[in-house]
Amino acid sequence: MSGKCLDGLLIPSAGPVRAAHHGGMDADRDPAPDRDVTAALGPVSGPARVAGPGEGFGAEEIALATRNHGLPLEALRYEVSPPGLHYVLVHYDIPAVDADTWRLRLDGLVAAGQEFGLAELRALPAVTRRVTMECAGNGRALLSPRPVSQPWLVEGVGTADWTGVPLRLLLARAGPAPQAREVVFTGADHGVERGVEQDYRRSLPLEVALGEDPEVLVAHAMNGRPLPPQHGFPVRLVVPGWYGMAHVKWLCGITVTAEPFAGFQQAVAYRYRQEAGETGDPVTRIAPRALLVPPGFPDFMSRTRVVRPGPLVLEGRAWSGPAPVTAVEVSTDGGASWRPAELAPDGGHRWAWRAWRIPWTAVPGHHVLTARATDAAGRTQPKSQPWNRGGFGNNLVQRVPVFCPDPAGGRRPGSGG
């Protein structure tokens, strides 16, 4: 058994070891490749698939749904999500990390390799950014046919104040070589996926890694406190405006390379594909989305909302990765008609969700509430969602069933259904 790239990892791994290579322009090796072990581990790690006609959610999907968790939609009331309510997706295990021996290594095509302990990293100039994160597969369980994976409805999201060192400052200390093109990030989480044994790794183009707007962070705090274990303690990447797969948790390695990274999570997973075997396009920035704070109170099983007759205020949050949200529209009749909502200022937090609100007078009957966001680039949420095999980037408008009881005891049909 051999240790991983993280010296402070308490649980050894049988996976590949990536030797550190620091300093000098000859330090140009790419990260160790993922190991295709399909023959050995194929019986426990099958290929991606789409659910068959009429196929219900299986035990594996239910296990994923209980292991990971989404934001309870009533928590949209919080401008900043408490860590325990922010969505969590963990591909493999939450690593056990010894903060005293943990090291972050920055190497590859750089003039001078760097290594940081946690205290050293915290001593560097830091900034705090409010960032909304969303899982790339959010909404997957609503697609038909359903891609079999983590079965998100619409709750795979959260917003936090992340504090850390701008990645561009760390890269400036190391000095990327002129031929550098990408930066690869290695997490301490290790597992097997579709027959490929791997550390979780993703890359960013060098220009994104060096960017100032958005500014990528090597974050060590969430909402003013050290990162919780499930959110990447001791350090994670935060990439404003990008889906959650880019925000590598339990970060232990940063490697500058000349060639595009071809690891599993970059070249195989997180691609928009219509058919198996296609190369597909990479999943990157978050599509616009608006969600409602569920009004009234819920039925335990159906989650149908119950509201009293009379005036009330509908409210929610909206966000978009490529461009700021400029409008939110709300329908109380299942999308037959729309009204503009009042959109709150962003408060200087470009990369966080924005609040919106609109008055509504509930009348007895059944209603379907929905909201849609539009951003400055003209992107608007669809009423009918385009399909892809991974269920990625699904920003179909949310539909919230609401029942308003008749205080006289009778029922009148509502305006939607």
Side-chain angles (χ1 to χ4, degrees), residues 50-53 140 142-148 387-389:
V50 173
R140 175 187 289 123
L142 301 173
L143 293 177
S144 182
R146 184 184 76 255
V148 176
W387 186 87
N388 64 83
R389 284 187 62 85

Side-chain angles (χ1 to χ4, degrees), residues 273-362:
R273 297 184 179 92
Q274 294 299 306
E275 301 291 342
E278 291 180 355
T279 300
D281 296 321
V283 177
T284 56
R285 294 184 180 271
I286 299 172
R289 189 191 292 276
L291 291 179
L292 292 103
V293 176
F297 54 92
D299 172 71
F300 173 68
M301 284 300 298
S302 71
R303 308 312 295 176
T304 297
R305 309 301 299 188
V306 178
V307 299
R308 305 298 185 195
L312 69 156
V313 174
L314 303 177
E315 58 183 340
R317 305 279 176 181
W319 61 94
S320 179
V325 170
T326 55
V328 172
E329 299 167 283
V330 175
S331 173
T332 57
D333 55 13
S337 63
W338 298 87
R339 291 189 295 143
E342 178 188 356
L343 189 62
D346 68 10
H349 302 295
R350 156 65 185 98
W351 303 104
W353 55 28
R354 294 175 67 178
W356 58 264
R357 64 199 314 266
I358 189 171
W360 178 49
T361 299

Side-chain angles (χ1 to χ4, degrees), residues 13-82:
S13 167
V17 178
R18 180 169 69 84
H21 40 279
H22 304 292
M25 296 309 298
D26 60 341
D28 60 354
R29 289 177 291 168
D30 288 346
D34 301 332
R35 296 174 56 201
D36 188 339
V37 291
T38 306
L41 295 177
V44 299
S45 184
R49 71 182 188 88
V50 173
E55 179 182 347
F57 292 97
E60 292 177 341
E61 289 175 289
I62 294 171
L64 284 176
T66 56
R67 176 174 179 78
N68 301 304
H69 74 80
L71 179 87
L73 293 184
E74 62 270 25
L76 288 164
R77 294 189 180 94
Y78 295 99
E79 187 173 351
V80 175
S81 309

Side-chain angles (χ1 to χ4, degrees), residues 32 93 248 256:
D93 284 350
V248 177
V256 179

